[in-house]
Amino acid sequence: MPWLTGKRAAWISAAVACVVYLPALRNGWALDDYGLIQRNPAAHSLAAAVRALFSPYWPPQGDYSPGLWRPLVTLTYGVDWVVSGGRPFWFHLLNLVLHGLATALVALMTLRWLPPLGVLAAGVVFAVHPVHVEAVANVVGRSEMLAALGLLGAVLAARRYRASEPGHGARWLVLTVFATGFALGSKEHAVIAVAVLALDHWLDPEGERQPAGSLYLGVAALTAGWLFLWRAIAGALVSGSAVAPLKDLTTGQRLAAMIPVQLDVVRLLVWPFSLSADYAPQLIPIRTSWSLVATLALLTSAALLALGVAIRHRAPGIAFGILAGAAAYLPTSNLLFTSGVLLAERSLYLAVLAPALVAGWLLAWAAERGRVTIALAVLGLGCASFTVQAVTQIPFWRDSRSVVIGGLLEHPENFGAHFRVADVLLPTGDSTRALAHYLVAMEIYHGFFPVPIRAGRLALALRRPLLALDLGRRARALSPTHPDPAEFLTDVFLALDQPDSALAVARALVVASPGSLPALENYRRVLDLTRAPVWQQQLAAARLDQALGHLVSVTARLDSAGEASSQWTGSPGDCWELTRSLQIMQLLTPSVARAAEDHVQAKCRESGQ
């Protein structure tokens, strides 16, 4: 094909990527699109997005957030909202364009290793691979494509820097660092940028004209700075987002559970004809002890990595695809640390480099041996199958209802499918069936405490307090120190007219999580609802204000509680209240502290409290 050049192959691949995903323009909001875009004020104007640059990606709910920081993604949402007035069509159109650009960069990157025909094959396979549907057809998957654009752009710019004359190429160094920053601002897994640049350098058949030390130093410094900012803004919250089945496992148990998942990853990359929006424990069994499947998965993964290293001279493109794809998936694999999902197809966006480059290399190899017709036929059949699967899957993400109904029909054994069905039924007023699906979800999987809480609140609304009490106790047993189960359980006891039990639960949470703002707020709320003495409410409010840093208010509340010292008794509740507040009394109101200490020594110890 003398007319086919590398650049034309890149543009053709990009066009294919855009055409295949044209049906996504009919999609609306689905699942996380609501929380991150449709209901998120930071995504509704450019000014709001700028103000949110140093805020967590997910709007925090109480003291919970998934621990993500993706300021550039939120910024693109703000721009889209201003341009479109909040219409989903424009958001999906930009996703489609971003996927086309990422595909073009994949093709341009492979020019280093493959002839134009091989480049076209790699680009088209990347363009139509069905694993991309979740990332492209669901708006919030945009972070994957933006991060890919940054990482691939950094690779191409770094090549130009290494190829420039000594003392020149400063603009390529700047572009490499800028592209890395763009990727880091789009998704956390871009921390692999240094490793990907080093891998490309290692596989570069053209060598270098000038040392790349300055380039690596700049990228490493930027990555370290990003890690510091991420930790300060959202990183401290990341432990709370760990996927429930893995949260309490030891390192050995986690590895035994997650190493077998690598077989699912390989299957999705090679044979992506069974997809799911949610790979819950029912789709991916959690084996906490070493198994034959784990051994097979470990051997398979090791063999693929070894193959990538072994063929670095003969087929550097394939080596890059395997090793860079593995590196891109590693941060969300739960192998090094826990992440927020067991497995997600969107996390495999860059991992598709592996099958894409294999396809490109095989077609180039067949063309060299005069077997291009057969190879093109096989590749065409494969791409056609991938295209049909992708186009068929795109409407699955049309809206939340489509995802929920489709997920339940495809995988009724998945507890998450029933959980989502209940969430959809609830706003329609079908409370009884919603409760039934919540209870089914609980029976299928017992380890996710939001399910019994959601079911319990619905049971309360349906005037079934005893069922709600049982569900609340189950939720608290699953997560004794999380504020949500304790808050719900206090509400149940209040509904059952058992104020002492409600206070006991609220106090236990404060003891277990003394620095938790939701725990302190819940206790103050329960005191108010049970009409506790005003001085007790003042001490609880003082502890909350102290945690918030409102020291002037704290002092006033402590003084008010001290003025009511004649109301102090030796009851368990009074003693607990005074003992819990002694430390801040000693710091801010010594006279009140002395009175409280005297009371504790006299009345509380006398009564055995």
Side-chain angles (χ1 to χ4, degrees), residues 446-474:
H446 306 284
F448 190 51
F449 74 81
V451 180
I453 292 178
R454 201 77 62 88
R457 292 205 178 279
L458 184 52
L460 269 185
L462 294 173
R463 298 181 181 179
R464 300 182 63 181
L466 294 180
L467 173 60
L469 178 61
D470 177 62
L471 294 169
R473 285 171 171 163
R474 290 194 196 185

CSV table of all heavy atoms in Angstrom, one decimal, residues 446-474:
chain,number,residue,atom,x,y,z
A,446,HIS,N,-22.5,-10.7,52.1
A,446,HIS,CA,-22.7,-10.1,53.5
A,446,HIS,C,-21.7,-9.0,53.8
A,446,HIS,O,-21.8,-8.5,54.9
A,446,HIS,CB,-22.7,-11.2,54.5
A,446,HIS,CG,-23.6,-12.4,54.2
A,446,HIS,ND1,-24.9,-12.3,54.5
A,446,HIS,CD2,-23.4,-13.6,53.7
A,446,HIS,CE1,-25.5,-13.5,54.1
A,446,HIS,NE2,-24.6,-14.3,53.7
A,447,GLY,N,-20.8,-8.7,53.0
A,447,GLY,CA,-19.6,-7.9,53.4
A,447,GLY,C,-19.7,-6.5,53.1
A,447,GLY,O,-18.6,-5.8,53.2
A,448,PHE,N,-20.8,-5.9,52.7
A,448,PHE,CA,-20.9,-4.5,52.2
A,448,PHE,C,-21.9,-3.8,53.1
A,448,PHE,O,-23.1,-3.9,52.9
A,448,PHE,CB,-21.3,-4.5,50.8
A,448,PHE,CG,-21.1,-3.1,50.1
A,448,PHE,CD1,-20.0,-2.4,50.2
A,448,PHE,CD2,-22.2,-2.6,49.4
A,448,PHE,CE1,-19.8,-1.1,49.6
A,448,PHE,CE2,-22.1,-1.3,48.8
A,448,PHE,CZ,-20.9,-0.6,48.9
A,449,PHE,N,-21.4,-3.0,54.1
A,449,PHE,CA,-22.3,-2.5,55.1
A,449,PHE,C,-23.3,-1.5,54.6
A,449,PHE,O,-24.4,-1.3,55.2
A,449,PHE,CB,-21.5,-1.9,56.3
A,449,PHE,CG,-20.9,-0.6,56.0
A,449,PHE,CD1,-21.6,0.6,56.1
A,449,PHE,CD2,-19.5,-0.5,55.7
A,449,PHE,CE1,-21.0,1.8,55.8
A,449,PHE,CE2,-18.9,0.7,55.5
A,449,PHE,CZ,-19.6,1.9,55.5
A,450,PRO,N,-23.1,-0.7,53.5
A,450,PRO,CA,-24.1,0.2,53.0
A,450,PRO,C,-25.4,-0.5,52.6
A,450,PRO,O,-26.5,0.1,52.6
A,450,PRO,CB,-23.5,0.8,51.8
A,450,PRO,CG,-22.0,0.8,52.0
A,450,PRO,CD,-21.8,-0.5,52.7
A,451,VAL,N,-25.4,-1.8,52.3
A,451,VAL,CA,-26.6,-2.5,51.9
A,451,VAL,C,-27.6,-2.7,53.1
A,451,VAL,O,-28.7,-2.3,53.0
A,451,VAL,CB,-26.3,-3.9,51.3
A,451,VAL,CG1,-27.6,-4.6,50.9
A,451,VAL,CG2,-25.4,-3.8,50.0
A,452,PRO,N,-27.1,-3.2,54.2
A,452,PRO,CA,-28.1,-3.3,55.3
A,452,PRO,C,-28.5,-1.9,55.8
A,452,PRO,O,-29.7,-1.7,56.3
A,452,PRO,CB,-27.3,-4.0,56.4
A,452,PRO,CG,-25.9,-4.0,56.0
A,452,PRO,CD,-25.9,-3.9,54.5
A,453,ILE,N,-27.7,-0.9,55.7
A,453,ILE,CA,-28.1,0.5,56.1
A,453,ILE,C,-29.2,1.0,55.2
A,453,ILE,O,-30.2,1.5,55.7
A,453,ILE,CB,-26.9,1.4,56.1
A,453,ILE,CG1,-25.9,1.1,57.2
A,453,ILE,CG2,-27.4,2.9,56.3
A,453,ILE,CD1,-24.7,2.0,57.2
A,454,ARG,N,-29.0,0.8,53.9
A,454,ARG,CA,-30.0,1.3,53.0
A,454,ARG,C,-31.3,0.5,53.2
A,454,ARG,O,-32.4,1.1,53.2
A,454,ARG,CB,-29.5,1.1,51.5
A,454,ARG,CG,-30.2,1.9,50.5
A,454,ARG,CD,-29.7,3.4,50.5
A,454,ARG,NE,-28.3,3.4,50.2
A,454,ARG,CZ,-27.7,3.5,49.0
A,454,ARG,NH1,-28.5,3.6,48.0
A,454,ARG,NH2,-26.4,3.7,48.9
A,455,ALA,N,-31.2,-0.8,53.4
A,455,ALA,CA,-32.4,-1.6,53.6
A,455,ALA,C,-33.0,-1.3,54.9
A,455,ALA,O,-34.3,-1.2,55.0
A,455,ALA,CB,-32.0,-3.1,53.6
A,456,GLY,N,-32.2,-1.0,55.9
A,456,GLY,CA,-32.8,-0.7,57.2
A,456,GLY,C,-33.5,0.6,57.3
A,456,GLY,O,-34.6,0.8,57.9
A,457,ARG,N,-33.0,1.6,56.6
A,457,ARG,CA,-33.7,2.9,56.5
A,457,ARG,C,-35.1,2.8,55.8
A,457,ARG,O,-36.1,3.4,56.2
A,457,ARG,CB,-32.8,4.0,55.8
A,457,ARG,CG,-31.6,4.4,56.6
A,457,ARG,CD,-31.1,5.7,56.3
A,457,ARG,NE,-29.9,6.1,57.1
A,457,ARG,CZ,-30.0,6.5,58.4
A,457,ARG,NH1,-31.2,6.7,58.9
A,457,ARG,NH2,-28.9,6.8,59.0
A,458,LEU,N,-35.1,1.9,54.8
A,458,LEU,CA,-36.3,1.7,54.1
A,458,LEU,C,-37.3,0.9,55.0
A,458,LEU,O,-38.5,1.2,55.0
A,458,LEU,CB,-36.1,0.9,52.8
A,458,LEU,CG,-37.3,0.6,51.9
A,458,LEU,CD1,-38.0,1.9,51.6
A,458,LEU,CD2,-36.8,-0.1,50.6
A,459,ALA,N,-36.8,-0.1,55.8
A,459,ALA,CA,-37.6,-0.8,56.7
A,459,ALA,C,-38.2,0.1,57.8
A,459,ALA,O,-39.4,0.0,58.2
A,459,ALA,CB,-36.8,-1.9,57.4
A,460,LEU,N,-37.4,1.1,58.2
A,460,LEU,CA,-38.0,2.1,59.2
A,460,LEU,C,-39.1,2.9,58.5
A,460,LEU,O,-40.1,3.1,59.2
A,460,LEU,CB,-36.9,3.1,59.6
A,460,LEU,CG,-36.0,2.7,60.9
A,460,LEU,CD1,-35.1,3.9,61.2
A,460,LEU,CD2,-37.0,2.4,62.1
A,461,ALA,N,-38.9,3.3,57.3
A,461,ALA,CA,-39.9,4.1,56.6
A,461,ALA,C,-41.2,3.2,56.4
A,461,ALA,O,-42.3,3.8,56.4
A,461,ALA,CB,-39.4,4.6,55.2
A,462,LEU,N,-41.0,1.9,56.3
A,462,LEU,CA,-42.2,1.0,56.1
A,462,LEU,C,-42.7,0.5,57.4
A,462,LEU,O,-43.6,-0.4,57.5
A,462,LEU,CB,-41.8,-0.2,55.2
A,462,LEU,CG,-41.4,0.1,53.8
A,462,LEU,CD1,-40.9,-1.1,53.1
A,462,LEU,CD2,-42.6,0.7,53.0
A,463,ARG,N,-42.3,1.2,58.5
A,463,ARG,CA,-42.7,0.9,59.9
A,463,ARG,C,-42.4,-0.6,60.3
A,463,ARG,O,-43.3,-1.3,60.8
A,463,ARG,CB,-44.2,1.2,60.0
A,463,ARG,CG,-44.5,2.7,59.8
A,463,ARG,CD,-46.0,3.0,60.0
A,463,ARG,NE,-46.2,4.4,59.7
A,463,ARG,CZ,-47.4,5.0,59.8
A,463,ARG,NH1,-48.5,4.2,60.1
A,463,ARG,NH2,-47.5,6.3,59.5
A,464,ARG,N,-41.2,-1.0,60.0
A,464,ARG,CA,-40.8,-2.3,60.4
A,464,ARG,C,-39.5,-2.2,61.3
A,464,ARG,O,-38.4,-2.5,60.8
A,464,ARG,CB,-40.6,-3.2,59.2
A,464,ARG,CG,-41.8,-3.4,58.4
A,464,ARG,CD,-41.6,-4.4,57.2
A,464,ARG,NE,-41.2,-5.7,57.7
A,464,ARG,CZ,-40.9,-6.7,56.8
A,464,ARG,NH1,-41.0,-6.5,55.5
A,464,ARG,NH2,-40.6,-7.9,57.3
A,465,PRO,N,-39.6,-1.6,62.5
A,465,PRO,CA,-38.4,-1.2,63.3
A,465,PRO,C,-37.6,-2.4,63.7
A,465,PRO,O,-36.4,-2.3,63.9
A,465,PRO,CB,-39.0,-0.4,64.4
A,465,PRO,CG,-40.5,-0.9,64.5
A,465,PRO,CD,-40.9,-1.2,63.1
A,466,LEU,N,-38.3,-3.6,64.0
A,466,LEU,CA,-37.5,-4.7,64.4
A,466,LEU,C,-36.6,-5.2,63.3
A,466,LEU,O,-35.4,-5.6,63.6
A,466,LEU,CB,-38.4,-5.8,64.9
A,466,LEU,CG,-39.2,-5.4,66.2
A,466,LEU,CD1,-40.1,-6.6,66.6
A,466,LEU,CD2,-38.3,-5.1,67.3
A,467,LEU,N,-37.1,-5.2,62.1
A,467,LEU,CA,-36.2,-5.6,60.9
A,467,LEU,C,-35.1,-4.6,60.8
A,467,LEU,O,-34.0,-5.0,60.6
A,467,LEU,CB,-37.1,-5.7,59.7
A,467,LEU,CG,-36.3,-5.9,58.4
A,467,LEU,CD1,-35.5,-7.2,58.4
A,467,LEU,CD2,-37.2,-5.8,57.2
A,468,ALA,N,-35.4,-3.3,61.0
A,468,ALA,CA,-34.4,-2.3,60.9
A,468,ALA,C,-33.4,-2.5,62.0
A,468,ALA,O,-32.2,-2.3,61.7
A,468,ALA,CB,-35.1,-0.9,61.0
A,469,LEU,N,-33.8,-2.9,63.2
A,469,LEU,CA,-32.8,-3.1,64.2
A,469,LEU,C,-31.9,-4.2,63.9
A,469,LEU,O,-30.6,-4.1,64.1
A,469,LEU,CB,-33.6,-3.4,65.5
A,469,LEU,CG,-32.7,-3.7,66.8
A,469,LEU,CD1,-31.8,-2.5,67.1
A,469,LEU,CD2,-33.6,-4.1,68.0
A,470,ASP,N,-32.4,-5.3,63.4
A,470,ASP,CA,-31.5,-6.4,63.0
A,470,ASP,C,-30.5,-6.0,61.9
A,470,ASP,O,-29.4,-6.3,61.9
A,470,ASP,CB,-32.4,-7.6,62.5
A,470,ASP,CG,-31.6,-8.7,62.0
A,470,ASP,OD1,-30.8,-9.3,62.8
A,470,ASP,OD2,-31.7,-9.1,60.8
A,471,LEU,N,-31.0,-5.2,60.9
A,471,LEU,CA,-30.2,-4.8,59.8
A,471,LEU,C,-29.1,-3.8,60.3
A,471,LEU,O,-27.9,-3.8,59.9
A,471,LEU,CB,-31.0,-4.1,58.7
A,471,LEU,CG,-32.0,-5.0,58.0
A,471,LEU,CD1,-32.9,-4.2,57.1
A,471,LEU,CD2,-31.2,-6.0,57.1
A,472,GLY,N,-29.5,-2.9,61.3
A,472,GLY,CA,-28.5,-2.0,61.9
A,472,GLY,C,-27.4,-2.7,62.6
A,472,GLY,O,-26.2,-2.3,62.5
A,473,ARG,N,-27.8,-3.7,63.3
A,473,ARG,CA,-26.8,-4.5,64.1
A,473,ARG,C,-25.8,-5.2,63.1
A,473,ARG,O,-24.6,-5.4,63.3
A,473,ARG,CB,-27.4,-5.5,65.0
A,473,ARG,CG,-28.0,-4.8,66.2
A,473,ARG,CD,-28.9,-5.8,67.1
A,473,ARG,NE,-29.2,-5.2,68.3
A,473,ARG,CZ,-30.2,-5.6,69.1
A,473,ARG,NH1,-31.0,-6.6,68.7
A,473,ARG,NH2,-30.5,-5.0,70.3
A,474,ARG,N,-26.4,-5.7,62.0
A,474,ARG,CA,-25.5,-6.4,61.0
A,474,ARG,C,-24.5,-5.3,60.4
A,474,ARG,O,-23.3,-5.6,60.2
A,474,ARG,CB,-26.4,-6.9,59.9
A,474,ARG,CG,-27.2,-8.1,60.2
A,474,ARG,CD,-27.7,-8.8,59.0
A,474,ARG,NE,-28.8,-9.7,59.2
A,474,ARG,CZ,-29.3,-10.5,58.3
A,474,ARG,NH1,-28.9,-10.5,57.0
A,474,ARG,NH2,-30.3,-11.3,58.6
